[in-house]
Amino acid sequence: MYIFVNFNRPDRNPETTSRANKVISFRFTKEAYTPYTKLSAVFSTETIAFTPFGNPSEYAEVVFYVDSYPVHQGIIDSFKIVKENGIERGIVTSRGFTSLLLENQLEPGLYTNISVNKLMNNYYKLPNVTHEDSNTENYIFVKNGSSMWDALVSMAYKVHGTYPYIRGMNKVMLTAVTPEKKLVFDESTLLDYGSEIRTTKIASDYHMADIDNTYDKYSYTNPESAEKGIVRHRYFDLDRRFLYEPEQALYFRDAIAMRGWKRKFCTYSGYKREDLYDTVTFGDVENGIIKAIEITGDRNGIKTELSVYEDRFTK
């Protein structure tokens, strides 16, 4: 497979792009409940195409390709060039441009008749970020310190009962798509497969204050917590995001805490250009929705781990 990293300067002029053709090792992750892709890569500067490397501060973004297929475009979080024993290496970490959704806050207050299109187009212009086309309107309440991503999470849950995710490079989605890839593996074609549970974020009981600031009216008990012997009570103020359906505030918090708590996974050699919300069949999983992708590579080759979740957002 042909793996390379493009480093673009602020003008994003192809003539000033530096390309690292020899990637020594890398890790790329994409997960349905994380609002950005993540990349870390180590590469040799000996095989740089186009403009040679200079000062790392000259560059503004990274585009990462696996088998000449673009999987990541993001902000440079850290970038250094190291020379040791006469050998020069570059080390870069990056998050997709949709990470900016977490880093831009909205003015607190009630937003009525708001849609994805209005939210993404009328407030901040985020570079290289696109979104699902939707004019379906609802109201959201933005608490002090809330981000654009928090608003999208509220909107997705209220309108569709879903959680937003990133598809392709930096495209925000609120609804499931028709799978472009339907992968099928038998045991002989897999490096490994298995299952896992993670319970550290699960709460047992949720208690929300009502308009009189008492906690007797709105409560919810997570049925799985008793099975696991988990006792964790959570109290919170009246959630004005759900004024017309107060009980949904309890279910929403429970769903958030249960994200990805059960997963089944498989690992195979290579990469088949799958994306979130494509499907995979392996073991006892049939057409499971892919909720996490991790691609790693080094001198031993490239391998991909796919995860299928069972949680409140499983459709």
Side-chain angles (χ1 to χ4, degrees):
M1 285 189 169
Y2 186 33
I3 313 299
F4 59 91
V5 188
N6 276 0
F7 293 86
N8 297 330
R9 287 175 168 79
D11 59 10
R12 294 178 175 81
N13 184 341
E15 295 182 359
T16 62
T17 294
S18 296
R19 173 176 293 183
N21 288 335
K22 186 178 180 181
V23 177
I24 299 169
S25 63
F26 74 89
R27 179 181 300 274
F28 165 84
T29 57
K30 189 174 193 177
E31 199 265 343
Y33 302 133
T34 304
Y36 50 85
T37 55
K38 293 189 289 186
L39 171 70
S40 60
V42 180
F43 57 92
S44 170
T45 62
E46 296 176 357
T47 57
I48 299 301
F50 309 127
T51 304
F53 276 108
N55 189 328
S57 64
E58 296 175 4
Y59 302 97
E61 69 177 39
V62 170
V63 185
F64 182 61
Y65 298 77
V66 179
D67 198 19
S68 301
Y69 181 75
V71 299
H72 171 86
Q73 182 182 26
I75 296 166
I76 295 174
D77 283 335
S78 67
F79 182 18
K80 64 180 178 180
I81 298 175
V82 180
K83 193 167 187 177
E84 184 178 8
N85 298 323
I87 299 174
E88 191 174 80
R89 294 173 298 130
I91 304 170
V92 67
T93 63
S94 172
R95 290 171 299 151
F97 279 100
T98 49
S99 63
L100 294 172
L101 292 165
L102 283 173
E103 297 167 357
N104 283 277
Q105 297 179 350
L106 292 171
E107 182 178 338
L110 182 66
Y111 291 67
T112 59
N113 301 320
I114 190 75
S115 67
V116 173
N117 288 358
K118 288 180 180 178
L119 181 63
M120 295 295 294
N121 299 336
N122 294 355
Y123 293 91
Y124 307 114
K125 179 62 177 177
L126 304 181
N128 304 303
V129 175
T130 59
H131 60 87
E132 178 178 346
D133 182 22
S134 175
N135 283 305
T136 302
E137 295 184 344
N138 207 301
Y139 78 93
I140 57 173
F141 182 82
V142 176
K143 298 185 293 184
N144 187 41
S146 292
S147 66
M148 289 184 70
W149 183 253
D150 294 330
L152 286 165
V153 170
S154 296
M155 187 177 301
Y157 185 79
K158 293 184 66 167
V159 176
H160 303 290
T162 60
Y163 195 94
Y165 63 98
I166 308 303
R167 190 167 167 87
M169 290 200 304
N170 301 303
K171 183 174 183 178
V172 178
M173 301 292 298
L174 274 68
T175 59
V177 297
T178 301
E180 294 182 8
K181 297 279 186 179
K182 296 183 178 181
L183 305 182
V184 178
F185 298 103
D186 57 42
E187 189 171 346
S188 65
T189 61
L190 292 175
L191 298 176
D192 63 46
Y193 66 99
S195 60
E196 179 185 23
I197 66 166
R198 293 172 284 195
T199 65
T200 57
K201 296 181 180 179
I202 295 176
S204 60
D205 296 87
Y206 296 88
H207 311 277
M208 183 176 72
D210 60 18
I211 195 69
D212 298 318
N213 205 34
T214 60
Y215 292 88
D216 299 330
K217 187 173 182 180
Y218 302 119
S219 295
Y220 173 75
T221 298
N222 177 340
E224 286 93 344
S225 62
E227 299 173 4
K228 299 290 185 285
I230 295 172
V231 180
R232 298 182 185 126
H233 286 256
R234 302 287 185 262
Y235 286 80
F236 57 97
D237 294 335
L238 179 67
D239 192 334
R240 287 185 281 180
R241 292 174 297 182
F242 300 95
L243 287 176
Y244 298 112
E245 297 176 289
E247 290 82 4
Q248 287 297 322
L250 304 165
Y251 308 147
F252 174 70
R253 277 172 168 73
D254 178 61
I256 293 295
M258 297 288 286
R259 288 174 299 175
W261 84 283
K262 277 187 181 182
R263 77 172 182 124
K264 294 185 177 180
F265 60 88
C266 68
T267 308
Y268 69 91
S269 293
Y271 171 59
K272 298 182 181 295
R273 300 188 178 185
E274 62 270 35
D275 204 343
L276 298 184
Y277 279 77
D278 287 337
T279 64
V280 60
T281 295
F282 65 93
D284 61 355
V285 174
E286 183 174 354
N287 294 322
I289 297 173
I290 297 172
K291 290 293 186 76
I293 301 169
E294 180 178 80
I295 313 170
T296 56
D298 54 26
R299 67 182 65 184
N300 297 315
I302 295 172
K303 59 183 181 181
T304 301
E305 181 188 83
L306 305 176
S307 296
V308 173
Y309 293 161
E310 180 182 333
D311 59 23
R312 303 289 194 252
F313 293 109
T314 300
K315 296 295 183 180

